[in-house]
Amino acid sequence: MDKIQCMINCIAVDDEPLALNLLADNISKIPYLNLLALCDDAFSANKALMENQVDLIFIDIQMPGISGLQFIESLVRKPMVILITAYKQYALDGFALDVVDYLMKPVSMDRFMKACNKAKELFELRHPSASDPAASLEYTFVNVGYSLLKVVFEDILYIEGLKDYVQIHLQSTPKPAIVRISFKNLESQLPSFFIRVHKSFIVNSKSITAVKKNAVFIGEKELPLGDTYRLSIEQLIASRRL
């Protein structure tokens, strides 16, 4: 099972119907955007914010009543914002409000996608579990024999792949859990603190006690370190080194 892609809830705000429909069409082509509402002014946008959990606003600047900039400035809890306008002169004002991006009409699809990707990166920094759903989970259930065994992720020391089976080695018991599941399938469901060190081994990075040229140690247990996975270990060490 592949990791679930993050979904960003958004609304689109523009007083021009054609521009609003074009914006909605562009949003529909971005797989991680979930369009909650189309709004033709700041008042309907405010209503949408009150009724939904909105992560991102696409908004025009020049609108009747309250401008896009005035609306953004009025928000106490501000979602991410991408401004879409026909006027260059508001760019500094927009970035002063810490918007994600400032797009000039007409907006090309590649430029629109670039702005959306910037929003996605920011969203994932603010919500780590969105890009790694397993990070918010503490345990899983696996089939062992004819029963389901609860396995707490923090309890796992390392996992060894054996053809159609894997052995899950735990801190809490000397006997590994033998599970009939593909190595690749299990790897895709693990939180981000697990790291592949060999074609047949995944380790809990929190349990690593030493690293040598061709080996990773979990206490007294020595596991092989493959050349393909050495860079991941080096990056881990660099991020934790004093």
Side-chain angles (χ1 to χ4, degrees), residues 69-137:
L69 291 176
Q70 290 172 328
F71 175 66
I72 295 165
E73 199 168 13
S74 73
L75 298 177
V76 177
R77 294 184 178 180
K78 186 175 69 177
M80 296 182 293
V81 176
I82 293 177
L83 291 172
I84 303 179
T85 180
Y87 303 94
K88 292 181 179 180
Q89 65 264 34
Y90 298 111
L92 288 177
D93 293 329
F95 285 112
L97 293 174
D98 199 26
V99 301
V100 174
D101 212 335
Y102 188 101
L103 304 181
M104 292 293 301
K105 295 179 180 180
V107 183
S108 64
M109 191 60 207
D110 62 326
R111 183 66 182 88
F112 182 78
M113 187 177 296
K114 183 177 180 181
C116 293
N117 287 340
K118 286 172 66 176
K120 181 175 180 286
E121 289 179 8
L122 180 59
F123 181 80
E124 290 176 345
L125 284 173
R126 293 177 177 177
H127 308 86
S129 63
S131 56
D132 181 13
S136 62
L137 301 177

Side-chain angles (χ1 to χ4, degrees), residues 62-236:
Q62 286 207 334
M63 297 187 297
I66 299 175
S67 73
L69 291 176
Q70 290 172 328
F71 175 66
I72 295 165
E73 199 168 13
S74 73
L75 298 177
V76 177
R77 294 184 178 180
K78 186 175 69 177
M80 296 182 293
V81 176
I82 293 177
L83 291 172
I84 303 179
T85 180
Y87 303 94
K88 292 181 179 180
Q89 65 264 34
Y90 298 111
L92 288 177
D93 293 329
F95 285 112
L97 293 174
D98 199 26
V99 301
V100 174
D101 212 335
Y102 188 101
L103 304 181
M104 292 293 301
K105 295 179 180 180
V107 183
S108 64
M109 191 60 207
D110 62 326
R111 183 66 182 88
F112 182 78
M113 187 177 296
K114 183 177 180 181
C116 293
N117 287 340
K118 286 172 66 176
K120 181 175 180 286
E121 289 179 8
L122 180 59
F123 181 80
E124 290 176 345
L125 284 173
R126 293 177 177 177
H127 308 86
S129 63
S131 56
D132 181 13
S136 62
L137 301 177
E138 296 179 355
Y139 59 87
T140 188
F141 284 92
V142 294
N143 286 301
V144 177
Y146 296 98
S147 62
L148 286 170
L149 175 69
K150 179 181 179 180
V151 175
V152 177
F153 289 129
E154 293 279 357
D155 190 32
I156 298 174
L157 294 171
Y158 66 94
I159 300 166
E160 181 179 2
L162 300 167
K163 293 186 178 180
D164 297 331
Y165 295 85
V166 299
Q167 286 189 348
I168 302 177
H169 296 261
L170 305 169
Q171 299 180 55
S172 58
T173 174
K175 187 177 179 180
I178 300 175
V179 184
R180 189 178 179 85
I181 187 174
S182 75
F183 200 53
K184 184 177 180 181
N185 190 7
L186 179 60
E187 182 182 22
S188 72
Q189 299 178 50
L190 294 170
S192 57
F193 56 83
F194 283 87
I195 186 169
R196 187 87 166 258
V197 297
H198 185 269
K199 64 180 181 179
S200 299
F201 289 95
I202 299 171
V203 302
N204 180 343
S205 63
K206 299 178 183 180
S207 300
I208 296 174
T209 52
V211 177
K212 291 187 178 179
K213 184 177 180 181
N214 297 309
V216 173
F217 289 82
I218 309 291
E220 298 297 318
K221 181 66 178 180
E222 180 178 345
L223 302 176
L225 174 58
D227 290 338
T228 307
Y229 309 100
R230 192 181 310 282
L231 180 59
S232 297
I233 288 293
E234 290 174 351
Q235 290 175 338
L236 174 68

